[in-house]
Amino acid sequence: MKAGLRQTRSVWGNIFVYLMLALFGAFFAFPLVFAINHAFKPLNELFLFPPRLFVQQPTMSNFQDLFAIMSRSRITFSRYIFNTVFITAAGTFGHILIASMGAYVVSKYRFPGSRTFFKLVIITLLFSPHVLAIPRFLVMNQLKWIDTYLAVIIPAFAMPIGFFLLKQFMDTVPMTLIEAAKIDGAKEFSIFWRIVMPTVKPAWLTVMVFSVLNLWSAQATNFIFSEELKTLPYALSQIIGGGVQRAGVGGAVTLFIMIVPLIVFISAQSNIIETMASSGIKE
Amino acid sequence: MSENPQTQINAGQPKKEKKRNFLSQKYHNLDFQKKNAIAGYLFISPFIIGFLVFMFLPILESLRMVFSEVTMDLENNRYDMVFNGLSNFYYVFQTDPEFNRLLTEELFRMLLSVPAILVFSFFVAMIINQKFKGRSFVRSVFFLPVILSAGVMLGLETNNMLLGEMRSYVQQNNAMTNTITNVLEEILISGGAMDEFLYYVIQVVNEIYGIALTSGMQIIIFLSGLQTISPSMYEASKIEGATAWESFWKITFPMISSLILVNLIYSIIDYFLRSDNTVMEKVTSEIAKMDYGLSSAMAWAYFIIVIIIVGISAGIISRRVYYYE
């Protein structure tokens, strides 16, 4: 949005905006503030009754404990981190590529079956992973993908939610843009890759955030059984499961696992704002 | 560019005819519509394959379970199904003590909270789309609930002894539902700042809090939609003398209307799949009892009702959606 457009807002308008932001912001930030404070609480404060929101005597001992436990684990901890990073990166990249290719043609091309397929995707959005866990396991078993990365990565490619979001955003891309590219002699794939994808960058960044969130927190205990292929959230949840004395470590773990999706979002969201100004949707 | 002599020379030469192999020659000779269809299928086929194998096959399998008595054979990683008609449904609706009650409760709560989520997220998206200092920080703050609610926390919370302890403290002291605001409430009570009125306020806030926590993704979707509206439209309307109120209803609202539909569907689905949804809890508990026929029947019954609601509300809204061409 260009400067000068919204400059007319009055002082009271500004006060209203900031007041609303402060009010809602406090709501939204409460769990994070709680989690951060938790991570730094010494053990005696953690079990204080009634509980307090803010830490009185912050300590790093929770993190020291966490790293001590990590270094003692049977499989080096970097292996768990690698597993999760690999699954997240591969799954997200593949999902964005495949889902946006599909979404592009459903949105902009007419061919038999495309509408029906989209309706089918919307319907399947409603299926809970719990309900599908058993049949899905059997499919994986048939494919001999049990206990491999593939069992987690490949289904992530076909997540219907990303397809749905991308298709809706691509509907807003003007057809004239694509036609113009076609007249200039662009091939099908280069229209998709060099015209449509940059235009809907905010959409796939949103999908990216969503997918990273999903995969980063995947415990994947249904499909992966060998210890050296297990994911970080699984390893961390094992650490927390150790009993009451691990309560402080639990706070540290929560903070640790929250931080990556948060960073991904913060870096993506500045981009979401930037792209629209230069996108070409402008008439 | 036309001043560049190089381009002019190139433009003057006849275009070099490319050699084509048999297949691409055949493709070249097809008419426009057929080309379009072939390109369409090529683009979408990876997604369709993945979708069929990992979503559609399992769904069909679970549909078969609905009408069967399922017995697990854990040693061989397989199960046996015996067709038993509608008896799973009879059990779910007539014998099961709580399914009907849970279902009506959840549907009612959904009908109340989805419009509230839509209004709330639209309002917040409008506010954080404005220009002010620290905007990117504020946007990140508003995304927190999405991160906190998306499995990361839910998965950990159940294992986290500490939050479990806290919950049991809170539950012992008052028998309300266990949300994180109860901890806040607990702090207020112990601070002596708690009377009848404040108690009521806390209860209202509890509901708002639930709505706020579930509308993070919807805010993001609305926000990215608001970004796509070209500023020149607002400029033009301003020059024509439209007030901010008018340009909201004549520009912002129609331009964002397709995303209202998206968010409606998304909110219903999100509500449907949330792990604190009591019907889903019921389904998961049946799965834990290894009763797959019954749990599938419950999930499908719930699913069919929700799909009807989605269909009706999407049908009403999509008539009013404005597509910008």
Side-chain angles (χ1 to χ4, degrees), chain B residues 100-152:
Chain B
N100 286 333
R101 183 177 55 83
L102 292 178
L103 184 68
T104 41
E105 269 175 20
E106 280 301 328
L107 287 175
F108 199 65
R109 259 178 64 198
M110 184 172 84
L111 289 180
L112 285 179
S113 74
V114 166
I117 288 172
L118 287 182
V119 171
F120 178 81
S121 55
F122 189 61
F123 184 64
V124 171
M126 284 294 288
I127 288 181
I128 58 179
N129 193 37
Q130 314 258 321
K131 268 203 181 307
F132 54 84
K133 283 198 184 102
R135 181 162 73 161
S136 59
F137 170 75
V138 171
R139 285 184 184 177
S140 311
V141 167
F142 280 83
F143 191 66
L144 287 177
V146 180
I147 292 174
L148 299 177
S149 63
V152 182

Short mmCIF file of all heavy atoms in Angstrom, two decimals, chain B residues 100-152:
data_model
loop_
_atom_site.label_atom_id
_atom_site.label_comp_id
_atom_site.label_asym_id
_atom_site.label_seq_id
_atom_site.Cartn_x
_atom_site.Cartn_y
_atom_site.Cartn_z
N ASN B 100 -24.94 -39.19 20.50
CA ASN B 100 -25.92 -38.20 20.04
C ASN B 100 -25.75 -36.86 20.73
O ASN B 100 -25.80 -35.81 20.09
CB ASN B 100 -27.33 -38.72 20.29
CG ASN B 100 -27.69 -39.80 19.30
OD1 ASN B 100 -27.16 -39.82 18.19
ND2 ASN B 100 -28.55 -40.70 19.72
N ARG B 101 -25.56 -36.93 22.05
CA ARG B 101 -25.43 -35.69 22.81
C ARG B 101 -24.18 -34.92 22.38
O ARG B 101 -24.23 -33.73 22.08
CB ARG B 101 -25.34 -36.03 24.30
CG ARG B 101 -25.27 -34.83 25.22
CD ARG B 101 -25.28 -35.27 26.67
NE ARG B 101 -24.22 -36.23 26.97
CZ ARG B 101 -22.96 -35.88 27.25
NH1 ARG B 101 -22.61 -34.63 27.24
NH2 ARG B 101 -22.06 -36.79 27.51
N LEU B 102 -23.05 -35.64 22.29
CA LEU B 102 -21.80 -34.99 21.88
C LEU B 102 -21.94 -34.37 20.50
O LEU B 102 -21.49 -33.25 20.25
CB LEU B 102 -20.65 -36.00 21.87
CG LEU B 102 -20.21 -36.56 23.21
CD1 LEU B 102 -19.11 -37.58 23.01
CD2 LEU B 102 -19.71 -35.44 24.10
N LEU B 103 -22.59 -35.11 19.60
CA LEU B 103 -22.72 -34.64 18.22
C LEU B 103 -23.52 -33.34 18.16
O LEU B 103 -23.07 -32.36 17.56
CB LEU B 103 -23.41 -35.72 17.38
CG LEU B 103 -23.52 -35.42 15.89
CD1 LEU B 103 -22.16 -35.42 15.26
CD2 LEU B 103 -24.41 -36.44 15.20
N THR B 104 -24.68 -33.29 18.82
CA THR B 104 -25.48 -32.06 18.77
C THR B 104 -24.74 -30.91 19.44
O THR B 104 -24.74 -29.79 18.94
CB THR B 104 -26.85 -32.25 19.43
OG1 THR B 104 -26.68 -33.03 20.61
CG2 THR B 104 -27.83 -32.93 18.51
N GLU B 105 -24.07 -31.20 20.55
CA GLU B 105 -23.32 -30.13 21.24
C GLU B 105 -22.25 -29.54 20.33
O GLU B 105 -22.13 -28.31 20.20
CB GLU B 105 -22.63 -30.70 22.48
CG GLU B 105 -23.46 -30.62 23.74
CD GLU B 105 -22.74 -31.31 24.89
OE1 GLU B 105 -21.50 -31.51 24.80
OE2 GLU B 105 -23.42 -31.66 25.85
N GLU B 106 -21.49 -30.43 19.69
CA GLU B 106 -20.39 -29.95 18.86
C GLU B 106 -20.90 -29.18 17.65
O GLU B 106 -20.34 -28.16 17.27
CB GLU B 106 -19.52 -31.11 18.38
CG GLU B 106 -18.53 -31.60 19.42
CD GLU B 106 -17.59 -30.50 19.89
OE1 GLU B 106 -17.25 -29.60 19.11
OE2 GLU B 106 -17.19 -30.57 21.07
N LEU B 107 -21.99 -29.67 17.04
CA LEU B 107 -22.52 -28.97 15.87
C LEU B 107 -23.00 -27.59 16.26
O LEU B 107 -22.76 -26.61 15.56
CB LEU B 107 -23.67 -29.78 15.26
CG LEU B 107 -23.25 -31.04 14.52
CD1 LEU B 107 -24.47 -31.80 14.06
CD2 LEU B 107 -22.37 -30.70 13.33
N PHE B 108 -23.65 -27.50 17.41
CA PHE B 108 -24.16 -26.22 17.88
C PHE B 108 -23.00 -25.26 18.15
O PHE B 108 -23.02 -24.10 17.72
CB PHE B 108 -25.00 -26.44 19.14
CG PHE B 108 -25.92 -25.31 19.44
CD1 PHE B 108 -26.96 -25.00 18.57
CD2 PHE B 108 -25.74 -24.55 20.58
CE1 PHE B 108 -27.80 -23.95 18.84
CE2 PHE B 108 -26.58 -23.49 20.85
CZ PHE B 108 -27.62 -23.19 19.98
N ARG B 109 -21.99 -25.77 18.83
CA ARG B 109 -20.82 -24.92 19.11
C ARG B 109 -20.15 -24.46 17.82
O ARG B 109 -19.69 -23.33 17.71
CB ARG B 109 -19.81 -25.70 19.96
CG ARG B 109 -19.86 -25.35 21.42
CD ARG B 109 -18.89 -26.19 22.22
NE ARG B 109 -17.49 -25.94 21.84
CZ ARG B 109 -16.51 -26.77 22.14
NH1 ARG B 109 -16.74 -27.89 22.78
NH2 ARG B 109 -15.28 -26.48 21.77
N MET B 110 -20.13 -25.35 16.84
CA MET B 110 -19.50 -24.99 15.58
C MET B 110 -20.28 -23.87 14.89
O MET B 110 -19.69 -22.90 14.41
CB MET B 110 -19.42 -26.21 14.68
CG MET B 110 -18.70 -25.95 13.39
SD MET B 110 -18.45 -27.46 12.47
CE MET B 110 -20.01 -27.59 11.66
N LEU B 111 -21.61 -24.00 14.88
CA LEU B 111 -22.43 -22.98 14.22
C LEU B 111 -22.25 -21.62 14.90
O LEU B 111 -22.33 -20.59 14.26
CB LEU B 111 -23.90 -23.39 14.26
CG LEU B 111 -24.27 -24.56 13.35
CD1 LEU B 111 -25.74 -24.87 13.45
CD2 LEU B 111 -23.90 -24.24 11.91
N LEU B 112 -22.02 -21.63 16.21
CA LEU B 112 -21.81 -20.35 16.90
C LEU B 112 -20.42 -19.80 16.65
O LEU B 112 -20.24 -18.60 16.44
CB LEU B 112 -22.00 -20.54 18.41
CG LEU B 112 -23.43 -20.67 18.90
CD1 LEU B 112 -23.43 -20.87 20.40
CD2 LEU B 112 -24.23 -19.43 18.53
N SER B 113 -19.41 -20.69 16.68
CA SER B 113 -18.05 -20.14 16.71
C SER B 113 -17.51 -19.82 15.32
O SER B 113 -16.68 -18.93 15.19
CB SER B 113 -17.11 -21.09 17.45
OG SER B 113 -16.83 -22.20 16.67
N VAL B 114 -17.99 -20.50 14.28
CA VAL B 114 -17.42 -20.22 12.95
C VAL B 114 -17.70 -18.77 12.49
O VAL B 114 -16.78 -18.08 12.07
CB VAL B 114 -17.88 -21.26 11.91
CG1 VAL B 114 -17.60 -20.81 10.50
CG2 VAL B 114 -17.16 -22.58 12.17
N PRO B 115 -18.95 -18.27 12.59
CA PRO B 115 -19.15 -16.85 12.22
C PRO B 115 -18.32 -15.91 13.09
O PRO B 115 -17.75 -14.93 12.58
CB PRO B 115 -20.64 -16.62 12.47
CG PRO B 115 -21.25 -17.95 12.45
CD PRO B 115 -20.23 -18.90 12.96
N ALA B 116 -18.21 -16.24 14.38
CA ALA B 116 -17.41 -15.39 15.26
C ALA B 116 -15.95 -15.38 14.81
O ALA B 116 -15.30 -14.33 14.78
CB ALA B 116 -17.52 -15.88 16.69
N ILE B 117 -15.44 -16.54 14.42
CA ILE B 117 -14.05 -16.62 13.95
C ILE B 117 -13.88 -15.78 12.69
O ILE B 117 -12.90 -15.03 12.56
CB ILE B 117 -13.66 -18.09 13.67
CG1 ILE B 117 -13.50 -18.85 14.98
CG2 ILE B 117 -12.36 -18.16 12.88
CD1 ILE B 117 -13.30 -20.32 14.81
N LEU B 118 -14.85 -15.88 11.77
CA LEU B 118 -14.73 -15.12 10.52
C LEU B 118 -14.70 -13.63 10.78
O LEU B 118 -13.84 -12.91 10.26
CB LEU B 118 -15.90 -15.46 9.58
CG LEU B 118 -15.86 -16.83 8.92
CD1 LEU B 118 -17.03 -17.00 8.00
CD2 LEU B 118 -14.56 -17.00 8.16
N VAL B 119 -15.64 -13.14 11.61
CA VAL B 119 -15.69 -11.71 11.89
C VAL B 119 -14.42 -11.26 12.60
O VAL B 119 -13.79 -10.28 12.21
CB VAL B 119 -16.94 -11.38 12.75
CG1 VAL B 119 -16.89 -9.94 13.22
CG2 VAL B 119 -18.20 -11.65 11.96
N PHE B 120 -14.03 -12.04 13.60
CA PHE B 120 -12.85 -11.68 14.37
C PHE B 120 -11.60 -11.63 13.50
O PHE B 120 -10.83 -10.66 13.53
CB PHE B 120 -12.66 -12.68 15.51
CG PHE B 120 -11.44 -12.43 16.34
CD1 PHE B 120 -11.46 -11.48 17.35
CD2 PHE B 120 -10.27 -13.13 16.11
CE1 PHE B 120 -10.34 -11.24 18.11
CE2 PHE B 120 -9.15 -12.90 16.87
CZ PHE B 120 -9.18 -11.95 17.87
N SER B 121 -11.41 -12.66 12.68
CA SER B 121 -10.17 -12.70 11.90
C SER B 121 -10.16 -11.61 10.82
O SER B 121 -9.10 -11.04 10.53
CB SER B 121 -9.95 -14.08 11.28
OG SER B 121 -11.06 -14.45 10.53
N PHE B 122 -11.33 -11.32 10.27
CA PHE B 122 -11.40 -10.24 9.29
C PHE B 122 -11.04 -8.90 9.93
O PHE B 122 -10.27 -8.11 9.39
CB PHE B 122 -12.81 -10.18 8.70
CG PHE B 122 -12.94 -9.25 7.53
CD1 PHE B 122 -12.20 -9.47 6.38
CD2 PHE B 122 -13.79 -8.16 7.57
CE1 PHE B 122 -12.31 -8.62 5.30
CE2 PHE B 122 -13.89 -7.30 6.50
CZ PHE B 122 -13.15 -7.53 5.36
N PHE B 123 -11.60 -8.68 11.11
CA PHE B 123 -11.34 -7.45 11.85
C PHE B 123 -9.84 -7.31 12.17
O PHE B 123 -9.24 -6.27 11.89
CB PHE B 123 -12.17 -7.50 13.14
CG PHE B 123 -12.09 -6.27 13.97
CD1 PHE B 123 -12.57 -5.06 13.48
CD2 PHE B 123 -11.56 -6.31 15.25
CE1 PHE B 123 -12.50 -3.92 14.26
CE2 PHE B 123 -11.49 -5.18 16.02
CZ PHE B 123 -11.96 -3.97 15.52
N VAL B 124 -9.26 -8.37 12.68
CA VAL B 124 -7.84 -8.31 13.03
C VAL B 124 -6.98 -8.12 11.77
O VAL B 124 -6.04 -7.32 11.77
CB VAL B 124 -7.41 -9.58 13.80
CG1 VAL B 124 -5.90 -9.62 13.98
CG2 VAL B 124 -8.08 -9.63 15.13
N ALA B 125 -7.35 -8.82 10.69
CA ALA B 125 -6.57 -8.67 9.45
C ALA B 125 -6.64 -7.24 8.94
O ALA B 125 -5.64 -6.68 8.49
CB ALA B 125 -7.09 -9.64 8.39
N MET B 126 -7.82 -6.62 9.04
CA MET B 126 -7.95 -5.22 8.63
C MET B 126 -7.04 -4.33 9.46
O MET B 126 -6.37 -3.44 8.93
CB MET B 126 -9.40 -4.74 8.81
CG MET B 126 -10.37 -5.22 7.78
SD MET B 126 -10.04 -4.57 6.15
CE MET B 126 -10.54 -2.88 6.38
N ILE B 127 -7.02 -4.58 10.76
CA ILE B 127 -6.20 -3.73 11.64
C ILE B 127 -4.72 -3.91 11.33
O ILE B 127 -3.99 -2.95 11.16
CB ILE B 127 -6.50 -4.03 13.12
CG1 ILE B 127 -7.87 -3.50 13.49
CG2 ILE B 127 -5.45 -3.40 14.00
CD1 ILE B 127 -8.23 -3.72 14.92
N ILE B 128 -4.27 -5.17 11.22
CA ILE B 128 -2.82 -5.33 11.04
C ILE B 128 -2.39 -5.10 9.60
O ILE B 128 -1.21 -5.12 9.30
CB ILE B 128 -2.28 -6.68 11.56
CG1 ILE B 128 -2.98 -7.86 10.90
CG2 ILE B 128 -2.42 -6.77 13.06
CD1 ILE B 128 -2.44 -9.17 11.39
N ASN B 129 -3.34 -4.83 8.72
CA ASN B 129 -2.96 -4.43 7.37
C ASN B 129 -2.66 -2.93 7.30
O ASN B 129 -2.11 -2.44 6.31
CB ASN B 129 -4.08 -4.78 6.38
CG ASN B 129 -3.62 -4.68 4.95
OD1 ASN B 129 -2.48 -5.02 4.65
ND2 ASN B 129 -4.47 -4.18 4.09
N GLN B 130 -3.02 -2.19 8.35
CA GLN B 130 -2.76 -0.75 8.37
C GLN B 130 -1.26 -0.48 8.53
O GLN B 130 -0.50 -1.36 8.89
CB GLN B 130 -3.47 -0.12 9.56
CG GLN B 130 -4.88 -0.57 9.73
CD GLN B 130 -5.85 0.45 9.24
OE1 GLN B 130 -5.66 1.62 9.44
NE2 GLN B 130 -6.91 -0.01 8.62
N LYS B 131 -0.92 0.75 8.25
CA LYS B 131 0.48 1.13 8.45
C LYS B 131 0.67 1.62 9.88
O LYS B 131 -0.05 2.50 10.33
CB LYS B 131 0.84 2.27 7.50
CG LYS B 131 1.41 1.79 6.20
CD LYS B 131 2.25 2.88 5.57
CE LYS B 131 2.84 2.47 4.26
NZ LYS B 131 3.58 1.24 4.28
N PHE B 132 1.59 1.01 10.58
CA PHE B 132 1.95 1.55 11.89
C PHE B 132 3.32 1.01 12.25
O PHE B 132 3.84 0.10 11.59
CB PHE B 132 0.92 1.17 12.95
CG PHE B 132 0.65 -0.30 13.04
CD1 PHE B 132 1.47 -1.11 13.80
CD2 PHE B 132 -0.41 -0.86 12.35
CE1 PHE B 132 1.23 -2.46 13.88
CE2 PHE B 132 -0.65 -2.22 12.43
CZ PHE B 132 0.18 -3.02 13.20
N LYS B 133 3.88 1.56 13.29
CA LYS B 133 5.24 1.15 13.68
C LYS B 133 5.20 -0.26 14.27
O LYS B 133 4.28 -0.61 14.98
CB LYS B 133 5.81 2.13 14.69
CG LYS B 133 6.27 3.41 14.05
CD LYS B 133 7.20 4.19 14.97
CE LYS B 133 7.57 5.51 14.34
NZ LYS B 133 6.83 6.65 14.91
N GLY B 134 6.21 -1.05 13.97
CA GLY B 134 6.31 -2.39 14.54
C GLY B 134 5.31 -3.35 13.94
O GLY B 134 4.85 -4.27 14.60
N ARG B 135 4.95 -3.13 12.67
CA ARG B 135 3.90 -3.94 12.08
C ARG B 135 4.29 -5.41 11.96
O ARG B 135 3.50 -6.29 12.27
CB ARG B 135 3.56 -3.37 10.70
CG ARG B 135 2.47 -4.12 10.02
CD ARG B 135 1.88 -3.32 8.92
NE ARG B 135 2.77 -3.25 7.78
CZ ARG B 135 2.36 -2.92 6.54
NH1 ARG B 135 1.10 -2.62 6.35
NH2 ARG B 135 3.20 -2.87 5.56
N SER B 136 5.54 -5.66 11.53
CA SER B 136 5.90 -7.06 11.32
C SER B 136 5.96 -7.79 12.66
O SER B 136 5.65 -8.98 12.73
CB SER B 136 7.21 -7.17 10.57
OG SER B 136 8.23 -6.55 11.27
N PHE B 137 6.33 -7.08 13.72
CA PHE B 137 6.34 -7.71 15.03
C PHE B 137 4.93 -8.12 15.43
O PHE B 137 4.68 -9.24 15.87
CB PHE B 137 6.93 -6.75 16.07
CG PHE B 137 6.75 -7.21 17.48
CD1 PHE B 137 7.54 -8.25 17.97
CD2 PHE B 137 5.81 -6.64 18.31
CE1 PHE B 137 7.37 -8.69 19.27
CE2 PHE B 137 5.63 -7.09 19.61
CZ PHE B 137 6.43 -8.12 20.09
N VAL B 138 4.00 -7.18 15.23
CA VAL B 138 2.61 -7.46 15.61
C VAL B 138 2.06 -8.63 14.83
O VAL B 138 1.39 -9.51 15.36
CB VAL B 138 1.74 -6.20 15.42
CG1 VAL B 138 0.28 -6.53 15.60
CG2 VAL B 138 2.16 -5.13 16.39
N ARG B 139 2.39 -8.67 13.52
CA ARG B 139 1.90 -9.78 12.70
C ARG B 139 2.41 -11.11 13.22
O ARG B 139 1.70 -12.11 13.23
CB ARG B 139 2.33 -9.60 11.26
CG ARG B 139 1.51 -8.55 10.60
CD ARG B 139 1.87 -8.43 9.16
NE ARG B 139 1.10 -7.33 8.59
CZ ARG B 139 1.23 -6.92 7.36
NH1 ARG B 139 2.09 -7.50 6.57
NH2 ARG B 139 0.51 -5.93 6.92
N SER B 140 3.67 -11.12 13.64
CA SER B 140 4.21 -12.37 14.17
C SER B 140 3.48 -12.78 15.44
O SER B 140 3.21 -13.96 15.64
CB SER B 140 5.70 -12.21 14.46
OG SER B 140 6.32 -11.64 13.36
N VAL B 141 3.17 -11.78 16.27
CA VAL B 141 2.44 -12.08 17.50
C VAL B 141 1.11 -12.75 17.17
O VAL B 141 0.71 -13.73 17.79
CB VAL B 141 2.22 -10.80 18.33
CG1 VAL B 141 1.20 -11.06 19.44
CG2 VAL B 141 3.52 -10.32 18.92
N PHE B 142 0.45 -12.25 16.13
CA PHE B 142 -0.86 -12.80 15.79
C PHE B 142 -0.77 -14.18 15.17
O PHE B 142 -1.77 -14.86 15.04
CB PHE B 142 -1.63 -11.84 14.88
CG PHE B 142 -2.27 -10.74 15.64
CD1 PHE B 142 -1.56 -9.61 16.00
CD2 PHE B 142 -3.59 -10.84 16.05
CE1 PHE B 142 -2.14 -8.61 16.73
CE2 PHE B 142 -4.17 -9.85 16.79
CZ PHE B 142 -3.45 -8.72 17.13
N PHE B 143 0.42 -14.56 14.77
CA PHE B 143 0.56 -15.89 14.22
C PHE B 143 0.86 -16.92 15.29
O PHE B 143 0.77 -18.11 15.05
CB PHE B 143 1.65 -15.90 13.15
CG PHE B 143 1.68 -17.15 12.35
CD1 PHE B 143 0.63 -17.45 11.50
CD2 PHE B 143 2.73 -18.03 12.45
CE1 PHE B 143 0.64 -18.61 10.77
CE2 PHE B 143 2.75 -19.19 11.71
CZ PHE B 143 1.70 -19.48 10.86
N LEU B 144 1.21 -16.46 16.47
CA LEU B 144 1.60 -17.38 17.54
C LEU B 144 0.61 -18.52 17.79
O LEU B 144 1.01 -19.67 17.88
CB LEU B 144 1.81 -16.60 18.84
CG LEU B 144 3.06 -15.74 18.90
CD1 LEU B 144 3.09 -14.99 20.21
CD2 LEU B 144 4.27 -16.63 18.79
N PRO B 145 -0.68 -18.21 17.89
CA PRO B 145 -1.61 -19.30 18.20
C PRO B 145 -1.56 -20.43 17.19
O PRO B 145 -1.75 -21.59 17.55
CB PRO B 145 -2.98 -18.63 18.17
CG PRO B 145 -2.71 -17.21 18.40
CD PRO B 145 -1.38 -16.93 17.80
N VAL B 146 -1.30 -20.08 15.92
CA VAL B 146 -1.24 -21.14 14.92
C VAL B 146 -0.12 -22.10 15.26
O VAL B 146 -0.27 -23.33 15.21
CB VAL B 146 -1.03 -20.55 13.51
CG1 VAL B 146 -0.97 -21.65 12.49
CG2 VAL B 146 -2.12 -19.58 13.18
N ILE B 147 1.03 -21.53 15.62
CA ILE B 147 2.16 -22.37 15.98
C ILE B 147 1.86 -23.16 17.25
O ILE B 147 2.12 -24.34 17.36
CB ILE B 147 3.42 -21.52 16.17
CG1 ILE B 147 3.83 -20.94 14.83
CG2 ILE B 147 4.53 -22.33 16.77
CD1 ILE B 147 4.96 -19.98 14.92
N LEU B 148 1.25 -22.45 18.20
CA LEU B 148 1.02 -23.09 19.49
C LEU B 148 -0.02 -24.18 19.40
O LEU B 148 0.03 -25.15 20.12
CB LEU B 148 0.58 -22.04 20.51
CG LEU B 148 1.60 -20.94 20.75
CD1 LEU B 148 1.05 -19.92 21.70
CD2 LEU B 148 2.88 -21.54 21.31
N SER B 149 -0.99 -24.01 18.50
CA SER B 149 -2.06 -24.99 18.48
C SER B 149 -1.79 -26.12 17.51
O SER B 149 -2.42 -27.16 17.57
CB SER B 149 -3.38 -24.32 18.14
OG SER B 149 -3.30 -23.78 16.85
N ALA B 150 -0.86 -25.92 16.58
CA ALA B 150 -0.70 -26.91 15.52
C ALA B 150 0.20 -28.06 15.97
O ALA B 150 1.35 -28.14 15.58
CB ALA B 150 -0.14 -26.26 14.26
N GLY B 151 -0.34 -28.91 16.76
CA GLY B 151 0.37 -30.14 17.06
C GLY B 151 1.58 -29.97 17.95
O GLY B 151 1.79 -30.77 18.85
N VAL B 152 2.37 -28.92 17.70
CA VAL B 152 3.59 -28.77 18.48
C VAL B 152 3.25 -28.80 19.96
O VAL B 152 3.78 -29.60 20.72
CB VAL B 152 4.29 -27.44 18.15
CG1 VAL B 152 5.58 -27.33 18.93
CG2 VAL B 152 4.55 -27.33 16.68
#
